[in-house]
Amino acid sequence: QQNELNSFLWTIKRDPPSYFFGTIHVPYTRVWDFIPENSKRAFQQSHIVYFELDLTDPYTISALTSCQLLPQGKNLQDVLPRDLYRRLKRHLEYVKLMMPSWMTPDQRGKGLYADYLFNAIAGNWEQKRPVWVMLMVNSLTEVDIKSRGVPVLDLFLAQEAERLRKQTGAVEKVEEQCHPLNGLNFSQV
């Protein structure tokens, strides 16, 4: 059936079956209604679920944060061309100014403040490596800000797996994601 095709779900036919499901790093609410039932069914029926990274593990989050930083004593101003650094700084000032108007009433009702949200996303930006600053800047849009507080699909599924008491694990370590990105040279970034 058409609704079972192109679902990003692959099945390994064995007893019991195993599945591979390709996720995307966006708020789950943007894609959940488009995920076919066969994928949701496979998740529900699974007893063990492995994710790219264990986003529920504090060590993973801490290691991801650490890997983004420039070597001790360096800062972004030291590694970016002066004009690019100034443009970046102006853009972040603009985002900080606009963020209160980008937030939803629901976010404000949950006690989210624009300054807190800006610092959670962009805090310490001057100590980050350029590739991570680029990824950060790409997520500082009105649409992305409005969906802050909604977990990305991977995290949503991990939280669901925990709630359903499924055994979980990760197929990658933080270093396996960090080192390739941190290995990009400036022109590649």
Side-chain angles (χ1 to χ4, degrees):
Q1 292 182 351
Q2 184 61 34
N3 67 345
E4 302 286 315
L5 297 176
N6 301 321
S7 66
F8 302 102
L9 180 74
W10 291 268
T11 304
I12 299 173
K13 294 185 179 183
R14 45 170 268 184
D15 191 21
S18 289
Y19 304 98
F20 284 109
F21 178 66
T23 60
I24 185 169
H25 301 288
V26 297
Y28 85 94
T29 52
R30 284 196 205 164
V31 295
W32 191 250
D33 292 342
F34 304 100
I35 294 176
E37 285 306 313
N38 67 336
S39 299
K40 292 176 181 177
R41 214 172 22 257
F43 177 79
Q44 289 295 326
Q45 293 171 355
S46 295
H47 300 287
I48 304 169
V49 184
Y50 280 85
F51 297 94
E52 181 179 9
L53 292 172
D54 183 355
L55 297 176
T56 63
D57 178 14
Y59 168 78
T60 300
I61 304 307
S62 172
L64 270 173
T65 301
S66 295
C67 89
Q68 296 178 17
L69 300 177
L70 287 163
Q72 191 68 27
K74 288 266 188 187
N75 106 23
L76 203 54
Q77 194 169 6
D78 301 329
V79 297
L80 286 183
R82 182 176 296 183
D83 181 54
L84 182 57
Y85 177 81
R86 286 182 183 151
R87 286 175 37 215
L88 174 62
K89 191 171 183 170
R90 275 195 312 273
H91 178 70
L92 292 175
E93 289 165 358
Y94 164 78
V95 167
K96 189 172 186 173
L97 182 70
M98 294 304 295
M99 200 173 269
S101 68
W102 291 350
M103 292 182 65
T104 66
D106 187 52
Q107 287 171 317
R108 285 190 284 277
K110 290 179 180 170
L112 269 181
Y113 294 96
D115 283 347
Y116 169 81
L117 192 53
F118 180 83
N119 286 331
I121 299 166
N124 210 22
W125 67 271
E126 293 181 276
Q127 274 68 55
K128 291 185 179 183
R129 295 172 184 266
V131 67
W132 298 100
V133 172
M134 177 200 63
L135 294 170
M136 175 198 74
V137 167
N138 285 339
S139 73
L140 285 171
T141 65
E142 183 173 359
V143 170
D144 283 338
I145 295 305
K146 285 184 184 310
S147 63
R148 283 293 168 151
V150 176
V152 294
L153 181 59
D154 315 47
L155 180 56
F156 171 74
L157 290 172
Q159 290 169 337
E160 275 297 289
E162 275 191 350
R163 186 181 69 77
L164 297 169
R165 291 183 167 68
K166 295 177 184 289
Q167 183 180 333
T168 62
V171 295
E172 287 185 334
K173 295 182 174 105
V174 169
E175 298 75 22
E176 293 172 306
Q177 286 207 347
C178 276
H179 292 309
L181 285 173
N182 287 346
L184 296 173
N185 66 41
F186 187 74
S187 66
Q188 290 169 319
V189 173

